[in-house]
Amino acid sequence: MNHEFAWDELELLWNANNFGAVHDWLGERWNHLIQSRPGGHEDPDAQFLQGLAFAALAFHFTQNHNQDGAALLSDDALAVLPKFVPAYRGVALDPILETLNTLRPQLDGLDCEADCPMQPFVFNKFEYRMTN
């Protein structure tokens, strides 16, 4: 069932630090899932994609002078993604959570429009393995 998510596409966007496009990619699939599956927002795949989208938007915001948004979305991602550790649908969560846990405390006390506290912005690469 991993083929429906085309993680290789997401990996290219994520690892290129194109988190705005990552968020859009995830949002399209999340929207489809909540409309097409009986569980809607409660569907585990939808929750997982939403958690990844929260992380991607936090990474995007911190690099684009929106530190309040980055903190809020980091908190949201950290509330959702640990439920799927160590991996979900072949996607490794530890690298994503490690980046979030490194970034989040650095956002405390920053002016909303401050520069990203991580210069340069260093993030763990997206990791997945194909499963049957």
Side-chain angles (χ1 to χ4, degrees), residues 7-131:
W7 296 130
D8 55 332
E9 292 175 16
L10 186 61
E11 177 185 38
L12 289 173
L13 296 170
W14 189 287
N15 292 348
N17 191 16
N18 191 349
F19 290 108
V22 167
H23 178 265
D24 293 346
W25 188 98
L26 290 162
E28 288 175 21
R29 283 145 187 88
W30 175 82
N31 191 47
H32 173 74
L33 286 178
I34 65 165
Q35 293 180 30
S36 64
R37 294 202 179 161
H41 290 85
E42 300 302 317
D43 180 85
D45 288 342
Q47 290 180 353
F48 178 68
L49 292 180
Q50 187 174 45
L52 289 178
F54 290 154
L57 206 49
F59 299 156
H60 176 76
F61 281 167
T62 194
Q63 295 179 83
N64 288 280
H65 305 279
N66 182 349
Q67 304 314 328
D68 288 349
L72 178 68
L73 274 293
S74 292
D75 290 343
D76 289 345
L78 289 167
V80 173
L81 293 176
K83 300 172 192 173
F84 298 98
V85 169
Y88 185 78
R89 297 221 177 265
V91 175
L93 274 295
D94 287 340
I96 297 165
L97 291 169
E98 183 178 306
T99 302
L100 286 165
N101 283 317
T102 299
L103 173 64
R104 182 58 187 95
Q106 295 182 50
L107 297 170
D108 287 337
L110 286 182
D111 181 70
C112 179
E113 296 179 9
D115 288 337
C116 177
M118 297 169 65
Q119 295 290 334
F121 182 65
V122 177
F123 59 95
N124 291 320
K125 301 299 184 198
F126 187 86
E127 296 177 18
Y128 80 98
R129 58 183 152 73
M130 300 272 300
T131 58

